[in-house]
Amino acid sequence: MNHFIKPVVVVSRCLGFDACRFNGDIIQDHFLNKLREYVEVITVCPEADIGLGTPRNPVRLVDSKQQGLRLIQPVTGRDLTDSMVHYAETFIEKIHKPIDGYILKSRSPTCGIKDSKVYSEKGTVNGKTAGVFAKKIVESQNHLAISDEGRLKNYLIRENFLTKLFLLASFRERKKQKSIQALVQFQSENKYLFMAYHQQKQKELGRIVSNGENISRENIFDVYEQKLHELLEHSRSVKSNINVMHHILGHFSKQLLSEEKAFLLTLIEKYREKKIPLSNPLMVLNSWAVRFNSSYLLDQTIFQPYPEQLNDLTDSGKGRDY
């Protein structure tokens, strides 16, 4: 069984940790309850933390003609924008440990990633945007795994989030070791996962590890990390995943029966048509790695990028359409 470094994740406190919603509620989330065992959690409630108390009068984002987007408490008329911006900036500065990701409360005027309602001065809804706290987080830390609990109800979004989260935590541990050998191993075991994100960036990471540009030992991890973040700005597509599977198939091309190859190619085609999940053809490739005792392939994180206990297909396809 693979060993996974525990990611450090900032989570909205109302998501199962404290009854701090504006109305005094707490929200139980099935996925987050399961995730707790595998991550280190730092909780945050921006509204409570700036002293609004619980329960409290609701706040909302208001598009002011004179001042632009403001965080307003309609009942009291208080403008909390500057206080919330200052809190967000201070929160980021005061965390003394590396963060791998955020899971914030959807639709919240402070924590919503994309879906916080924007009101006109007359009280009508004009659109949606990021909450004040979440906007600052995304602006300063967009290289991290950031989502809200609403989006994570969708299996594919959750799979991509977890892959990035545990990948960042793994690199953080290697960087702390300051071992070139550890960096070489990290690059090797993530080769096909990186290829699925962006093949050219994967090759650039390989060149950094081989130190063809004679990067100093002190700087190589920082240079590598910057390029890793550039790679993770891209998304894994159906096309790139299929490309990777064909590369992996090449390891067994002379050892398989023609019927076995045909079977895999049929699965890949069904994956292309979105009739089956990526895990189906990958599982076949993984079984062949076991069968032919390919230690190099068995170490590849693309087969298991995060703890298998976090796989849950019961809500596959649920959640809003993103």
Side-chain angles (χ1 to χ4, degrees), residues 5 10 16 19 50 73 94 99 101 121 123-124 163-164 171 178 183 199:
I5 303 299
V10 176
I50 65 170
Q73 192 172 50
K94 287 188 174 180
I99 301 299
E121 292 177 300
T124 58
T163 298
K164 184 174 183 179
F171 176 75
K178 292 295 182 184
L183 185 61
Q199 190 166 357

Side-chain angles (χ1 to χ4, degrees), residues 173-190:
E173 181 65 21
R174 309 299 173 90
K175 185 178 180 180
K176 185 169 64 176
Q177 295 173 14
K178 292 295 182 184
S179 163
I180 298 299
Q181 182 56 41
L183 185 61
V184 170
Q185 181 182 357
F186 180 79
Q187 175 68 16
S188 176
E189 67 192 17
N190 286 292

Side-chain angles (χ1 to χ4, degrees), residues 45-305:
C45 180
E47 294 175 26
D49 291 348
I50 65 170
L52 294 183
T54 303
R56 55 187 172 274
N57 292 315
V59 296
R60 61 170 54 172
L61 294 172
V62 177
D63 189 6
S64 167
K65 292 181 180 179
Q66 286 76 32
Q67 298 178 289
L69 197 64
R70 310 298 291 178
L71 183 66
I72 304 295
Q73 192 172 50
V75 172
T76 64
R78 292 176 63 188
D79 186 331
L80 300 161
T81 313
D82 294 340
S83 296
M84 187 57 68
V85 168
H86 175 72
Y87 171 79
E89 293 171 346
T90 304
F91 179 85
I92 294 168
E93 291 173 1
K94 287 188 174 180
I95 292 182
H96 298 301
K97 59 174 60 182
I99 301 299
D100 302 303
Y102 287 79
I103 302 175
L104 300 177
K105 179 67 190 78
S106 62
R107 299 185 175 94
S108 161
T110 52
C111 289
I113 303 296
K114 295 180 178 179
D115 57 2
S116 306
K117 290 181 180 179
V118 177
Y119 292 83
S120 70
E121 292 177 300
K122 294 182 179 180
T124 58
V125 178
N126 282 353
K128 296 180 180 180
T129 188
V132 179
F133 176 80
K135 183 179 180 181
K136 283 293 178 183
I137 295 300
V138 172
E139 286 176 350
S140 63
Q141 300 182 288
N142 64 351
H143 58 282
L144 301 182
I146 302 176
S147 188
D148 60 55
E149 95 292 354
R151 289 172 58 81
L152 293 179
K153 286 179 169 55
N154 180 287
Y155 174 75
L156 293 178
I157 292 175
R158 185 169 67 247
E159 182 181 50
N160 288 330
F161 173 84
L162 288 172
T163 298
K164 184 174 183 179
L165 182 69
F166 280 87
L167 181 62
L168 288 171
S170 177
F171 176 75
R172 172 169 52 79
E173 181 65 21
R174 309 299 173 90
K175 185 178 180 180
K176 185 169 64 176
Q177 295 173 14
K178 292 295 182 184
S179 163
I180 298 299
Q181 182 56 41
L183 185 61
V184 170
Q185 181 182 357
F186 180 79
Q187 175 68 16
S188 176
E189 67 192 17
N190 286 292
K191 175 184 176 179
Y192 288 117
L193 182 59
F194 290 168
M195 187 182 293
Y197 276 99
H198 196 280
Q199 190 166 357
Q200 181 58 39
K201 297 292 183 185
Q202 177 259 325
K203 292 178 180 178
E204 292 174 15
L205 285 168
R207 286 195 289 270
I208 293 171
V209 171
S210 65
N211 208 2
E213 298 178 1
N214 297 316
I215 304 168
S216 69
R217 187 183 185 90
E218 291 75 20
N219 294 332
I220 191 169
F221 278 89
D222 291 334
V223 173
Y224 185 94
E225 184 173 28
Q226 177 60 41
K227 189 62 64 176
L228 177 63
H229 291 167
E230 291 178 16
L231 176 139
L232 293 175
E233 288 176 2
H234 299 271
S235 299
R236 294 169 63 185
S237 66
V238 170
K239 183 178 179 180
S240 65
N241 283 327
I242 290 174
N243 176 53
V244 167
M245 288 189 285
H246 280 290
H247 273 83
I248 297 174
L249 176 59
H251 285 266
F252 316 112
S253 59
K254 296 180 180 180
Q255 299 165 285
L256 295 170
L257 298 174
S258 58
E259 293 85 356
E260 291 176 306
K261 292 181 187 178
F263 175 71
L264 177 68
L265 293 175
T266 299
L267 289 182
I268 290 176
E269 191 57 33
K270 287 182 179 179
Y271 166 69
R272 187 197 306 275
E273 296 170 355
K274 299 183 179 181
K275 294 179 179 178
I276 60 173
L278 174 62
S279 57
N280 285 26
L282 278 180
M283 191 176 297
V284 173
L285 287 167
N286 197 8
S287 72
W288 289 342
V290 173
R291 172 180 164 189
F292 298 114
N293 194 28
S294 174
S295 58
Y296 175 73
L297 288 179
L298 290 173
D299 287 338
Q300 289 298 309
T301 58
I302 194 168
F303 293 123
Q304 191 178 330

Side-chain angles (χ1 to χ4, degrees), residues 18-30:
D18 188 27
C20 59
R21 291 277 287 164
F22 72 95
N23 57 1
D25 280 352
I26 185 171
I27 299 171
Q28 296 298 335
D29 184 270
H30 171 73

